[in-house]
Amino acid sequence: MLKATGAVIGDCAFYLDGDRAEIGCNISPAYQRRGLAREALQTLVAYCAEVYKVALIRGITDSRNLSSIRLQESLGMVRDRTFENRIQCKGETCTEYRFEGDCRAIFSPERTTI
């Protein structure tokens, strides 16, 4: 939700599996390239770290989504080169990459609050 207007501009989610979490977000095209995905993921990582004591964060993205790849890398996540998943998406065969990171290293209480 956009703070200034209350407009819904995307969604984010997480799936817990023990001390691991898979996270993701989608931002409406009209609101992309404004740092909102970064803000959403940092908040999600902080929430997982503080509330659920998650150790490992994972994110899965389409291999063609360079913005998502760069975002995950900028957060300190690295591509798991043992994982490559082929799926059908919008009538095309796509390849998914998985990125992983240490939740404690990504989460910085000084810059992110929930």
Side-chain angles (χ1 to χ4, degrees):
M1 186 177 322
L2 195 60
K3 291 177 189 173
T5 65
V8 175
I9 60 165
D11 62 80
C12 60
F14 66 96
Y15 170 78
L16 293 173
D17 183 14
D19 67 345
R20 299 171 185 218
E22 185 175 310
I23 61 172
C25 74
N26 296 295
I27 303 294
S28 173
Y31 294 94
Q32 292 176 359
R33 302 197 185 282
R34 298 182 188 188
L36 299 170
R38 170 180 295 283
E39 182 180 347
L41 288 180
Q42 285 175 323
T43 302
L44 202 52
V45 169
Y47 184 78
C48 288
E50 290 183 347
V51 176
Y52 294 102
K53 309 303 180 210
V54 168
L56 181 73
I57 289 288
R58 287 183 169 155
I60 296 179
T61 191
D62 186 321
S63 62
R64 300 168 298 177
N65 189 340
L66 299 181
S67 293
S68 179
I69 290 170
R70 284 192 298 269
L71 172 59
Q72 290 181 78
E73 290 174 339
S74 75
L75 292 174
M77 299 170 75
V78 295
R79 183 174 159 210
D80 174 359
R81 299 212 177 260
T82 67
F83 179 93
E84 231 177 68
N85 190 33
R86 296 207 185 341
I87 64 166
Q88 287 294 313
C89 182
K90 298 178 185 175
E92 298 180 50
T93 300
C94 302
T95 302
E96 293 181 317
Y97 291 161
R98 180 170 62 201
F99 288 80
E100 299 180 330
D102 181 329
C103 191
R104 293 168 299 257
I106 295 169
F107 168 60
S108 171
E110 297 79 33
R111 73 171 182 221
T112 308
T113 58
I114 59 171

